[in-house]
Each structure stands twice: as C-alpha cells, then as structure tokens.
C-alpha cells in the first residue's frame, strides 16, 4: 500500500529496563513522562490517538483494558483512536504501525505509542512467567511440552548449524557484539561488556544456547510520539519518517505448520514489502542502521539472511567478518538489541524505533553513533516466527 | 488526632492462604466431549492410537486436529491413524527458564521436533540425554497418563529413542 500522508516519529523516551521495583502502572507513568519530557512542545493535551503495546498484562499484572488505563494515568483525553496491540514480541511495532496508518489516513495528527511490560514477579514466580511465555505457541499441542522460547530457538540454532555449518563461535560473536553495545546504553538491563568466550562459557540454558545467547526477562516501558508532517515540522528539524512498513504472516503458528526451522520466509516477504514501499533496491548498501529482533543470538544470524544483508546460510560468516558492527556495512543493534537491553515484550519495538530516531538526530552517546545514519529499519518476529514485521525509517520524507 | 483507634481494632479481610492450582496454568486441556470438539483425538489416544483429522473433501491432513479444514473450509473431517515411529528432526534440552509444574527430577528435559511423515510435531523425548541424541535418530511414540491437577482421566503422547 502507499501511505497518503507522511508520518514521522519525532522522539520519545524510556524507563530504566531490568528487574524493577515497580508495578505495571508505575512503568507506564515513567515511560509516559520520559516521552513527553523528551519532546518539548508536545504534551498529553496534544495527543489525539493512543496505542499501547502490551503482551501479557493479564498474566503478569492481573490487569486488562490497559490502553484506557494509560490514558487516565497520563491525563490524555483521546479524541480519535485508542487501542492496545497484542502481537507477542512484535506488539510494540504493531502499535507503531496502527499509529502510522491512522495518521497517514488523516484520522489524526498526533499519536502516543507506549509499550509497557512488567515481567519480573520475583524469582520464586519465574515458572509462572515462563508458562505464560509458552502460551505464545499453540498451548494445547506445543506449549504443553514445556516449550518456552529458549528450546524453540535452540532448534533453529541446531538446524542452522546442521544445514549451513554455522558455528557456536559465530553465535557468541553476535551476543558479544550486542551486549557490548548495550554497555553504552544507559537504560539497558545488561550493561557489562562481554567477550565471545564468556558467551560460550555462560551456563547452558537450552543447548546449543547458553545464558548470554538469550534476551532477558525484563520490566520496562518505551514511548514515542508520531506526527503528521505539518505538526512534526513545528516541533523538530530531524525526525524518523516512516517510508515503508511490511508485515507477513503464514497460515501456521504450531510446529507442524512451520515451513522451516532454519529460516523465516515471512521476514523476507515483510522486508521486501517494506523495501518496495521505501524504494530500497539493495538493503545492504542502503540501510545504515538496523534494529533487529535478536531475542536469541541465532535469530540475528537468520535475520541477516532474510532481511537481505547476507545470502541464505551465510549469516554466520557475516558476523564473523564484522559486517554488522557499528563501523561495518550495516550497524545492527547499536542500542544493544534484546540481548543487551533486555526484552520487555510490548516495549521492544518502540525502543528500537526510538534508537533509529535518535541515531538520525545525533542524540545517542558518541561511542554508539553510526556515521551519517540516514536510513534504518526495525524488525520484530513474534510467536513461533509465524509473523514478521519490518518498518523502514528515513531521515527525509519520501 | 484525638481518635484513639489502633491497629488491633481494624477489621481483617482474609484471603485463602493457598489458592488451588489455577485452571489457566494447567497446560493440559480438558479432553472429554463436554469440553472439546476434538475429543475423538483424545479418545483414540486413550485407546492407544495417535490420530489426526483428514478432510474428506480436499484430503488435507491437519495437525493439530481441527473441526474445520483450513484448506477448503469444509467440516466433513475424519480421524486417521498416524505412524508411531518417526525421526528426530531437531531437539534441545531445557535447563533454564522452566515452565510451571515441571518436577525437579525431570530437569533437564529434552524437547524436540519429530517427523512422522504426514506430520511433524513437537514432543518431549523421554529416556534420552541431549548428548546421546542426533538429528535423524529413530524415535517411537508412547502414551502417558496425566496425573492431576484435575480429577479427570487425561492422556498425552511423548517420544522415546528406539
Ligand atoms: C535465559 C533465561 C531462561 C534465564 O533465566 P534464569 O535461568 O531464570 O536465570 P536467572 O534469572 O536466575 O539469572 C541468573 C543470573 O543471570 C543473569 N541473567 C539472566 N538472564 C540474563 C541474560 N539474558 N543475559 C545476561 N545475564 C542474564 C541474572 O541477572 C542473574 O544474575 P545474578 O545471579 O548476578 O543475579 C531467561 O532470561 C529467559 O527466559 N530469557 C528469554 C526470554 C524470552 O523468552 N523472551 C521472549 C523471546 S521470543
Ligand atoms: Zn479440506
């Protein structure tokens, strides 16, 4: 589709991420305040549309109907459109996409997108949290087998190694890159630099995946303000313009119906759709910075391939050659990714979009600034990888 | 404040000290005809055979079993037998991030993808250590009874090396 009006992400903010002494409602308020504080000239009274990304507030916080709750907490009278989006790990990007469409269609001019997740209920309740994570698959036939995320993605690592010769060392290189990037991100859950050997030596979680191959269980929120071109020009000179947005879903969510355990055809299709809209022919040459869904180290290797940065099967070589480093051909996950920042499910996509916006605005610390970043993307997968969402962002509107 | 009310005069609101295992955290579905329209799948399993639905209009085989064919929207489905022997397609052993209700002695547990030919499904692989297994290994289905937390007789399937 072609959007009818240009839409920009003008800025936003996030809470500190990690194991927080805070409730879901605390996080929503902190995230809202951080967002409004970061965008002078925009306050609750300006917001006409509110989109809240939240995956499991029913299970983790015993609360539903959360978008109106956020409206109350942040003092927003929503005049045009309100929705909560649930698309597992892609809920934040889904919220951005709704806001984009509503503005592009002329329904509204100013939207707040807020992603919030409260996941840590105390160590003794971690099994409840993991049970809820397993419900993302078909619970009756797959989740029932004790299939939370780590073993599921371990299969992809095993199959990718089996089919293409990807190595344990290459997985470690991805995790070390992202965790080290996160050491320069002040809100990140994991801020220590990590070298590849430490990844391989970290405790086994679901072989071949180790602890440092995994994103965390994270409390956090992230917010972004989206605006029509006319409004955006009033508040900022530099923004992230949404030039393409693709989503692809297969008719399959349970194990029997997945076409591949080493690749994600839907990521290829979603990115291709987004590239077509944005007029991108050669993603490796044209994308400067990419925030991709590294829920596990193997995911990023597959994403290099499916997003068109590397040939199929050569994702491992791509990281080994350092091509996804800050100073590589495409800077992948300068923020530190899900591996370094943690993964408060509903907030992740919003935080990724903020990183791209701030990269364009030169508003990140120097040591993670990508040189002359002008074109970027965010990517999220969700559930069994049955859905992939890709949004292309540009420093200039088309 | 002149009022002299103290803590020990406050009324107490009590909640149960233990809450029954919540239905929504029980991974296994209820399996009988009054609960699910795919009860025949569970009836067959209880009788010793893994089955699934096949569409009598377009002949598509589904897994998980359905009540409507996703290929042609027909609802004339029949149950057909599935092989009990298959090949291990992928596997891992879970040591961290354990869901609720797994017993200590079960950890680490192996969970894999088993290719049965017509379908490929996920399952627990019992009586095997991760390091003993390889892609392509032959495995066989076994049927297990589920003990608790409801009073119903429930069954499920797992796999074991041949
Ligand atoms: C990997 C995982 C299972 C580890 O959980 P766990 O075994 O319960 O580990 P713990 O929480 O006990 O943490 C052990 C230690 O490792 C640290 N840690 C936990 N996860 C970490 C991670 N991903 N990276 C680095 N350190 C981590 C903890 O801070 C803790 O450190 P401490 O002992 O100094 O306090 C859990 O983080 C997980 O499930 N991650 C994936 C989340 C997920 O599925 N997201 C959806 C993706 S699609
Ligand atoms: Zn049919």
């Amino acid at each position: 589709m072609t959007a009818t009006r240009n839409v920009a992400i003008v800025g936003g903010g996030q809470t500190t991420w990690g194991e927080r002494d805070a409730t879901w409602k605390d996080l929503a308020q902190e995230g809202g305040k951080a967002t409004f504080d970061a965008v002078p000239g925009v306050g609750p009274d300006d917001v006409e549309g509110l989109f809240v990304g939240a995956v499991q507030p029913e299970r983790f916080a015993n609360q539903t109907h959360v978008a109106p709750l956020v409206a109350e907490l942040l003092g927003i009278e929503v005049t045009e459109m309100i929705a909560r989006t649930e698309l597992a790990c892609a809920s934040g990007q889904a919220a951005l996409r709704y806001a984009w469409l509503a503005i592009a269609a002329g329904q509204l001019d100013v939207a707040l997108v807020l992603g919030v997740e409260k996941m840590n209920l105390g160590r003794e309740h971690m099994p409840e949290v993991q049970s809820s994570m397993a419900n993302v698959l078909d619970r009756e036939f797959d989740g029932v087998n004790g299939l939370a995320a780590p073993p599921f993605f371990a299969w992809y690592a095993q199959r990718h190694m089996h089919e293409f010769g990807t190595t344990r060392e290459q997985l470690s290189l991805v995790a070390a890159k992202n965790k080290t990037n996160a050491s320069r991100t002040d809100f990140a859950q994991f801020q220590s630099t990590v070298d590849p050997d430490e990844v391989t030596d970290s405790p086994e979680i679901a072989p071949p995946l180790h602890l440092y191959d995994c994103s965390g269980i994270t409390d956090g929120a992230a917010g972004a303000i989206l605006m029509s071109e006319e409004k955006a020009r009033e508040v900022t000179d530099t923004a992230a313009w949404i030039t393409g947005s693709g989503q692809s879903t297969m008719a399959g969510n349970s194990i029997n119906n997945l076409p591949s355990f080493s690749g994600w055809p839907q990521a290829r299709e979603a990115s291709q759709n987004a590239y077509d809209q944005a007029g991108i022919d050669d993603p490796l040459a044209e994308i400067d910075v990419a925030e991709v869904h590294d829920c596990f180290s193997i995911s990023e290797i597959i994403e290099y391939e499916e997003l068109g940065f590397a040939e199929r099967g050569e994702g491992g070589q791509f990281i080994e050659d350092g091509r996804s480093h800050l100073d590589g051909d495409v800077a992948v996950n300068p923020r530190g990714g899900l591996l370094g920042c943690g993964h408060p499910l509903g907030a992740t996509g919003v935080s990724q979009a903020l990183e791209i916006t701030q990269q364009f605005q030169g508003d990140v610390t120097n040591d993670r600034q990508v040189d002359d970043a002008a074109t970027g993307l965010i990517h999220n997968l969700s559930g069994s990888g049955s859905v992939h969402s890709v949004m292309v962002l540009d420093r200039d509107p088309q | 404040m002149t009022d002299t009310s103290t803590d020990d005069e406050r009324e107490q609101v009590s909640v149960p000290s233990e809450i029954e295992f919540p239905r929504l955290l029980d991974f296994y579905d209820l399996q009988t005809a009054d609960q699910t329209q795919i009860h025949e799948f569970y009836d067959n399993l209880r009788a010793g055979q893994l089955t699934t639905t096949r569409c009598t209009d377009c002949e598509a085989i589904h897994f998980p079993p359905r009540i409507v064919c996703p290929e042609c929207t027909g609802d004339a489905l029949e149950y057909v037998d599935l092989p009990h022997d298959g090949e291990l397609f992928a596997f891992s052993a879970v040591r961290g991030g354990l869901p609720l209700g797994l017993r200590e002695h079960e950890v680490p547990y192996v969970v894999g993808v088993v290719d049965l030919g017509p379908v490929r499904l996920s399952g627990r692989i019992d009586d095997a250590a991760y390091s003993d297994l390889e892609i392509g290994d032959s495995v066989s289905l076994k049927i297990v009874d589920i003990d608790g937390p409801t009073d119903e007789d429930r069954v499920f399937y797992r796999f074991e090396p041949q």
Side-chain angles (χ1 to χ4, degrees):
Chain A
M1 72 146 269
T2 324
T4 45
R5 299 204 301 171
N6 288 329
V7 180
I9 302 171
V10 298
Q14 45 231 322
T15 68
T16 299
W17 286 14
E19 231 174 299
R20 293 288 315 277
D21 296 332
T23 64
W24 196 100
K25 289 194 285 188
D26 295 337
L27 295 168
Q29 291 170 76
E30 282 182 26
K33 177 173 169 50
T35 300
F36 290 123
D37 286 354
V39 187
V42 180
D45 292 346
D46 300 304
V47 174
E48 300 160 310
L50 174 62
F51 302 85
V52 176
V55 178
Q56 303 225 34
E58 289 82 358
R59 299 286 288 238
F60 300 152
N62 215 355
Q63 179 70 56
T64 195
H65 207 228
V66 291
L69 182 61
V70 169
E72 177 188 315
L73 293 171
L74 302 182
I76 300 169
E77 306 274 348
V78 180
T79 52
E80 297 296 337
M81 188 171 172
I82 184 163
R84 169 222 176 158
T85 55
E86 189 279 296
L87 193 65
C89 302
S91 300
Q93 184 169 161
L96 288 167
R97 200 161 195 258
Y98 280 18
W100 165 64
L101 285 171
I103 297 171
Q107 181 78 21
L108 50 104
D109 287 297
V110 183
L112 170 66
V113 173
L114 189 73
V116 188
E117 211 74 43
K118 170 70 188 173
M119 301 178 75
N120 286 285
L121 312 178
R123 287 284 160 94
E124 70 277 24
H125 295 293
M126 197 52 90
E128 287 164 58
V129 172
Q130 292 288 353
S131 290
S132 299
M133 305 290 281
N135 292 356
V136 164
L137 300 169
D138 182 325
R139 199 259 319 127
E140 185 180 10
F141 288 96
D142 296 324
V144 68
N145 297 314
L147 196 54
F152 177 81
F153 287 90
W155 296 341
Y156 279 77
Q158 185 189 43
R159 290 297 310 184
H160 206 273
M161 289 166 147
H162 181 75
E163 292 174 29
F164 303 114
T166 301
T167 64
R168 179 52 256 180
E169 171 74 1
Q170 290 166 341
L171 297 176
S172 295
L173 288 170
V174 169
K177 167 180 74 71
N178 293 357
K179 283 187 180 287
T180 299
N181 285 352
S183 71
R184 309 175 189 114
T185 299
D186 56 5
F187 68 87
Q189 181 171 17
F190 306 112
Q191 301 205 358
S192 343
T193 59
V194 164
D195 68 40
D197 287 341
E198 288 175 279
V199 180
T200 314
D201 293 342
S202 66
E204 234 175 26
I205 295 292
L209 300 180
H210 293 237
L211 179 63
Y212 290 174
D213 291 301
C214 307
S215 57
I217 300 289
T218 314
D219 307 329
I225 302 287
L226 275 68
M227 293 180 135
S228 62
E229 182 159 10
E230 189 191 330
K231 291 280 182 186
R233 297 288 184 203
E234 292 172 12
V235 301
T236 185
D237 295 332
T238 315
W241 300 89
I242 299 170
T243 53
S245 169
Q247 220 171 34
S248 172
T249 309
M250 70 179 95
N253 189 53
S254 56
I255 299 308
N256 182 48
N257 299 303
L258 302 182
S260 167
F261 285 83
S262 63
W264 287 311
Q266 273 61 37
R268 187 165 294 267
E269 194 170 290
S271 58
Q272 201 51 61
N273 289 341
Y275 294 155
D276 287 349
Q277 291 165 31
I280 288 177
D281 300 320
D282 180 352
L284 184 59
E286 293 174 65
I287 305 282
D288 305 309
V289 49
E291 284 281 319
V292 310
H293 202 92
D294 58 331
C295 48
F296 296 88
S297 53
I298 181 61
S299 314
E300 184 168 314
I301 288 186
I302 296 175
E303 287 150 13
Y304 297 149
E305 302 170 9
E306 304 293 16
L307 298 175
F309 300 148
E311 294 297 319
R312 196 78 182 97
E314 289 175 14
Q317 194 59 47
F318 194 78
I319 178 71
E320 200 172 313
D321 294 342
R323 301 181 70 184
S324 52
H325 283 239
L326 278 178
D327 58 355
D329 296 337
V330 49
V332 179
N333 288 328
R335 186 184 64 120
L338 287 56
L339 290 170
C341 293
H343 182 23
L345 312 172
T348 283
V350 183
S351 177
Q352 290 172 310
L354 267 189
E355 174 70 15
I356 303 288
T357 308
Q358 290 165 352
Q359 286 279 349
F360 292 170
Q361 293 170 336
D363 199 15
V364 294
T365 56
N366 266 342
D367 47 11
R368 74 168 203 269
Q369 177 69 50
V370 176
D371 254 4
D372 198 28
T375 306
L377 68 74
I378 64 169
H379 159 268
N380 298 102
L381 67 80
S382 43
S384 55
S386 48
V387 188
H388 287 262
S389 310
V390 175
M391 188 174 267
V392 178
L393 300 165
D394 207 284
R395 211 167 50 185
D396 301 303
Q398 267 176 321
Chain B
M1 281 218 313
T2 51
D3 191 286
T4 54
S5 74
T6 56
D7 281 359
D8 52 25
E9 289 169 39
R10 280 189 193 145
E11 206 178 312
Q12 292 220 331
V13 174
S14 46
V15 292
S17 57
E18 258 182 44
I19 297 173
E20 231 179 281
F21 195 83
R23 179 76 198 99
L24 286 174
L25 289 173
D26 176 358
F27 266 22
Y28 293 94
D29 257 25
L30 300 178
Q31 302 180 341
T32 47
D34 56 340
Q35 299 285 350
T36 173
Q37 294 188 51
I38 61 162
H39 60 90
E40 206 175 325
F41 168 83
Y42 290 111
D43 293 340
N44 293 338
L45 196 62
R46 202 169 290 108
Q49 181 64 48
L50 180 73
T51 57
T52 197
T53 49
R54 196 182 74 105
C55 177
T56 58
D57 291 326
C58 79
E59 302 191 344
I61 289 196
H62 325 117
F63 197 89
R66 316 276 180 175
I67 63 164
V68 172
C69 175
E71 302 295 332
C72 74
T73 70
D75 62 359
L77 310 186
E78 60 178 6
Y79 279 82
V80 294
D81 289 357
L82 285 171
H84 281 196
D85 293 335
E87 266 186 17
L88 201 51
F89 181 79
F91 59 96
S92 183
V94 186
R95 294 169 186 279
L98 301 171
L100 201 64
L102 285 158
R103 301 203 164 96
E104 278 304 317
H105 72 261
E106 287 189 289
V107 177
Y109 59 90
V110 178
V111 58
V113 182
V114 173
D115 195 340
L116 290 178
V119 301
R120 198 155 68 178
L121 36 74
S122 66
R124 290 278 294 271
I125 317 292
D126 282 355
D127 303 322
Y130 175 79
S131 53
D132 296 338
L133 295 169
E134 278 183 44
I135 289 175
D137 280 359
S138 300
V139 292
S140 307
L141 185 122
K142 69 174 188 185
I143 294 164
V144 293
D145 288 326
I146 307 304
D147 177 22
T150 79
D151 295 334
E152 293 193 34
D153 289 336
R154 295 189 296 178
V155 290
F156 210 69
Y157 52 86
R158 291 182 171 204
F159 294 90
E160 59 192 354
Q162 268 174 20

